[in-house]
Amino acid sequence: EAQVDLPGAIRSAVLDADLATLEHGLDTWVGPRGAKLSGGQVQRSAAARMFVRKPEFLVFDDLSSALDVETERLLWERLFGNGLNEDRSRRPACLAVSNRRTALSRADHILVLEGGRVAASGKLDEVLKASSVMQDLWASIIR
C-alpha cells in the first residue's frame, strides 16, 4: 500500500494558508461537496486528495481554472518545480487539459485539438508556429 503524505499533499496543493484560516483546520466541516469553500479551494482540495499517495500518473482537467495568478503559479511550481517532486526521476507523468499560460508554459508536450483531431503537436513554441488556433488562444489568454 502506498505511503500517505498528508502534509506534502496540502503543501503541493497550496492549501497550507487556507487551512490556517479554517476554524478547526482539517477537522472543519465544509458542507456537502465543499459548499463552504471557494471554487479554488474546492479544486485544490481535490488535487490534495490526488497528491496524498505520491502518484505515478496524474490527470488534470483545468486544475487551476478557479485560481488567482499567484496561487496558480505556486501550484504548478510545487508540483513540477519542487515539493511533491523534488527528485525529477520520481515525478509523476501528467496529462493536463488546460488553456492557461502557466500550465502551457510548463508542458513538455502540447496537443492542440481542432474538431476532435490533433491539429498541432510539440513544444509550446512549435505549436504556436504551427497552429493558428493555438496562436489565437495564446493571444486571448490574460497574462
Side-chain angles (χ1 to χ4, degrees), residues 11-28:
R11 184 181 184 291
S12 293
V14 194
L15 277 171
D16 28 12
D18 299 87
L19 279 175
T21 66
L22 295 176
E23 184 179 1
H24 301 290
L26 281 175
D27 294 323
T28 302

Side-chain angles (χ1 to χ4, degrees), residues 19-66:
L19 279 175
T21 66
L22 295 176
E23 184 179 1
H24 301 290
L26 281 175
D27 294 323
T28 302
W29 187 77
V30 295
R33 296 187 176 209
K36 294 185 176 188
L37 299 175
S38 71
Q41 288 170 324
V42 169
Q43 278 184 323
R44 289 178 290 128
S45 295
R49 287 192 302 270
M50 287 189 290
F51 305 153
V52 77
R53 295 191 187 271
K54 295 198 179 223
E56 293 180 21
F57 184 70
L58 295 166
V59 178
F60 300 127
D61 184 3
D62 249 350
L63 171 66
S64 56
S65 62

Side-chain angles (χ1 to χ4, degrees), residues 60 62-64 72-73 76 80 96-110 124 138:
F60 300 127
D62 249 350
L63 171 66
S64 56
E72 178 184 35
R73 183 198 62 74
W76 289 107
F80 298 105
V97 176
S98 184
N99 62 357
R100 307 273 294 193
R101 279 185 185 251
T102 304
L104 293 168
S105 297
R106 289 188 170 272
D108 293 326
H109 194 86
I110 297 171
L124 179 59
W138 191 255

Side-chain angles (χ1 to χ4, degrees), residues 14 47 55 59 64 69 77 87 93 113 122:
V14 194
V59 178
S64 56
V69 174
E77 179 182 293
D87 179 357
L113 301 178

Side-chain angles (χ1 to χ4, degrees), residues 3 9 37 45 58 67 83 88 117 122 126 141:
Q3 194 173 22
L37 299 175
S45 295
L58 295 166
L67 304 183
R88 289 182 63 98
R117 298 189 184 271
E126 296 167 343
I141 299 173

